[in-house]
Amino acid sequence: MFALADCNNFYASCERVFQPRLEGKPIVVLSNNDGCVIARSNEAKVLQVAMGAPYFKIQPYVQQEGIAVFSSNYALYGDLSHRVMQVLSGFAPRVELYSIDECFLDFTGLPQDLSGYGLQICKTVKQWTGIPISIGIAPTKTLAKLANRLAKKGYSANGPVVDWRNIADTDAVLAATALDDLWGISRRTAVKLQALGIDNALALRRADPKRMRQQLGVVMERIVYELQGQSCIPLEAMPPPRKQILTSRSFGEKLSSFNDLRAAVSHFAARSAEKLHRQHLATSVLCVFVATSPFDTRNPSYSNSATTVFNQPTQAAADLIQAAHQGLQRIYKPGFSYQRAGVILPDLQPMAWAQKSLFAERDTNELQDTLGQINRRYGKNTVRYASEMLSQRWHMRQQFKSPSYTTQWAELLAVRA
DNA sequence: TCTGGGGTCCTAGGACCC
DNA sequence: TCTGGGGTCCTAGGACCC
């Protein structure tokens, strides 16, 4: 048995935890750079604010309806996510942290009233973290996802928990479920299925798995079995190590000068090194890329990337920054308005396995450790690489960002009694 | 003026091995 | 007339997830 615990409108709920006056009010959260809508409270959904809507297009409507607007605050969301996951971990022998706001729990062999247990979990998470969650329970992950969807839509009168086995007429529920509301099926694939005469989840459950495999691949075959109640997608309590690390941003304004771009990619390289270090990984390859805006039709467009292979796998920021800089020199062309850049580490391996060079002159890991310690102790960005500080112009627009309530001492909430 | 930032997996085809 | 059988690795592109 699986349970899927999913935070309700997670980013919007995070903002609400520290601004309870927004309870019952419409909220939207914007992507980096305040570009487009990436999260909506239920009230904002009722007002028909579309997911992914560019903010500049809906701004008048947002003001007219008095919708509260927030820039993304990942320090806050990440920290609250961690707290929610901590609480959830106490309720099952094994859990899989599936995304920032979702967690699968292994419910195998637990006492029988799983719905009651689920309600207790929701209540505890809400009380201890302030975040409302919903839970779906089923014998497969795909069905647990679907049960969770039902729970969110208020299917159960008892509260935000649905146990698939307690549904009287699952055929009716499946018949009323659109294909692209299922986990793993997008719009595109739904259209392909419809061309084969399958137009809802019930029809898909009744399809022949072997035929589905032939026509749409092994992924679709698994979905059919999962809908039938046969589990094919196991719980992954131990996340496999990352295969790739990517750090990129769109800029707050278009950039043209080499030094502006250099500051940006230096920063991305340094952040990538931190990610490597945290996950005890090393990389043997770095790829740096730059691009103009895909939406800008008036100015000439350009995008390119450069790849550097290291003599030995590294996790040192100094190595990554140097490689990013050299790569940038190879692909930079003056005269373009760059909108975005990034650093990709596509070939990761555990640091402990990294093959050292016979001729290595230095071990940069000690330096990396020391820098990390200083920044943890005295605060983010206490020490930085100079090339990161050549320019600030690439920094994101974050006009509506709330304080980092839980991760910065200076931004702690003050409460008057 | 203005449109995110991460990830993973599968498949097909080509190159190469014995 | 008639030309094997079994693998791996890599890459690009497509698709999906949050």
Side-chain angles (χ1 to χ4, degrees):
Chain A
M1 289 301 292
F2 298 89
L4 174 66
D6 192 328
C7 302
N8 302 346
N9 313 318
F10 182 54
Y11 296 171
S13 297
C14 288
E15 300 294 350
R16 233 175 223 161
V17 169
F18 293 91
Q19 297 199 38
R21 67 183 173 81
L22 294 174
E23 206 66 50
K25 303 266 165 49
I27 300 175
V28 297
V29 179
L30 304 178
S31 63
N32 277 339
N33 256 324
D34 298 338
C36 56
V37 173
I38 57 166
R40 306 158 297 161
S41 69
N42 285 339
E43 299 77 10
K45 290 176 189 172
V46 168
L47 289 172
Q48 313 245 327
V49 178
M51 190 71 169
Y55 178 63
F56 73 91
K57 283 190 183 168
I58 62 165
Q59 191 184 8
Y61 181 69
V62 163
Q63 267 171 355
Q64 175 198 316
E65 297 292 341
I67 300 172
V69 179
F70 291 93
S71 304
S72 299
N73 183 347
Y74 286 104
L76 178 64
Y77 311 151
D79 188 58
L80 290 187
S81 169
H82 181 68
R83 296 180 189 204
V84 169
M85 299 303 173
Q86 288 279 107
V87 179
L88 289 173
S89 301
F91 282 95
R94 299 192 317 137
V95 300
E96 173 186 344
L97 311 190
Y98 176 64
S99 74
I100 194 165
D101 68 334
E102 287 172 76
C103 179
F104 285 105
L105 293 82
D106 184 355
F107 265 20
T108 308
L110 260 52
Q112 268 318 293
D113 178 21
L114 293 181
S115 286
Y117 191 55
L119 287 171
Q120 191 192 330
I121 296 174
C122 293
K123 197 177 146 198
T124 308
V125 170
K126 172 76 175 148
Q127 188 181 359
W128 291 7
T129 69
I131 300 292
I133 68 169
S134 304
I135 294 182
I137 302 165
T140 72
K141 280 180 159 183
T142 303
L143 289 174
K145 272 274 201 183
L146 184 52
N148 185 285
R149 218 183 113 78
L150 297 171
K152 280 217 174 110
K153 291 174 109 182
Y155 180 89
S156 164
N158 296 330
V161 177
V162 167
D163 184 336
W164 183 255
R165 299 166 307 169
N166 295 343
I167 295 177
D169 190 352
T170 51
D171 280 9
V173 169
L174 287 172
T177 300
L179 289 168
D180 55 0
D181 286 334
L182 294 172
W183 191 36
I185 299 185
S186 69
R187 275 261 176 75
R188 236 191 217 101
T189 309
V191 171
K192 284 187 201 162
L193 282 167
Q194 277 156 6
L196 297 171
I198 296 166
D199 48 23
N200 61 51
L202 181 63
L204 184 59
R205 196 198 71 192
R206 289 175 172 167
D208 175 22
K210 294 303 164 203
R211 180 174 157 241
M212 286 300 104
R213 184 181 189 133
Q214 277 168 12
Q215 295 181 313
L216 294 158
V218 65
V219 176
M220 189 58 66
E221 182 190 24
R222 273 189 215 131
I223 293 176
V224 175
Y225 280 126
E226 288 247 321
L227 286 175
Q228 293 173 356
Q230 188 174 328
S231 178
C232 303
I233 309 171
L235 188 98
E236 282 188 30
M238 276 282 292
R242 284 256 171 280
K243 297 184 171 174
Q244 167 181 304
I245 285 174
L246 187 151
T247 308
S248 83
R249 295 282 180 280
S250 295
F251 308 135
E253 58 180 300
K254 301 278 166 55
L255 302 181
S256 296
S257 90
F258 183 81
N259 270 348
D260 287 342
L261 288 172
R262 187 181 173 191
V265 300
S266 294
H267 181 74
F268 302 150
R271 296 292 81 73
S272 299
E274 285 173 2
K275 294 179 189 177
L276 280 178
H277 199 249
R278 218 175 299 138
Q279 299 171 47
H280 307 290
L281 295 170
T283 185
S284 52
V285 175
L286 179 144
C287 175
V288 58
F289 67 89
V290 295
T292 55
S293 169
F295 298 101
D296 185 349
T297 49
R298 290 197 313 279
N299 294 303
S301 72
Y302 171 68
S303 71
N304 206 348
S305 66
T307 299
T308 303
V309 179
F310 296 104
N311 288 329
Q312 58 173 343
T314 181
Q315 58 171 204
D319 293 342
L320 301 191
I321 289 173
Q322 188 182 31
H325 179 206
Q326 287 167 355
L328 182 65
Q329 278 178 318
R330 279 186 270 148
I331 57 175
Y332 171 78
K333 285 191 192 169
F336 289 98
S337 296
Y338 295 94
Q339 186 242 358
R340 175 183 165 82
V343 162
I344 307 173
L345 311 179
D347 185 31
L348 305 179
Q349 52 194 292
M351 191 61 199
W353 300 358
Q355 176 64 54
K356 298 278 172 68
S357 162
L358 184 58
F359 306 107
E361 289 171 7
R362 63 195 167 97
D363 184 353
T364 49
N365 290 319
E366 265 184 61
L367 174 63
Q368 189 78 17
D369 281 341
T370 307
L371 294 180
Q373 281 174 30
I374 293 172
N375 281 335
R376 270 192 295 280
R377 181 159 167 191
Y378 295 102
K380 198 164 110 175
N381 291 336
T382 302
V383 276
R384 271 186 287 176
Y385 286 85
S387 59
E388 291 182 66
M389 300 162 73
L390 285 170
S391 160
Q392 311 246 324
R393 297 184 61 190
W394 62 272
H395 281 202
M396 292 185 287
R397 274 193 309 275
Q398 292 189 311
Q399 212 187 324
F400 314 106
K401 193 166 115 25
S402 54
S404 297
Y405 296 109
T406 61
T407 52
Q408 294 289 331
W409 287 112
E411 299 178 26
L412 218 54
L413 201 64
V415 178
R416 282 185 294 269

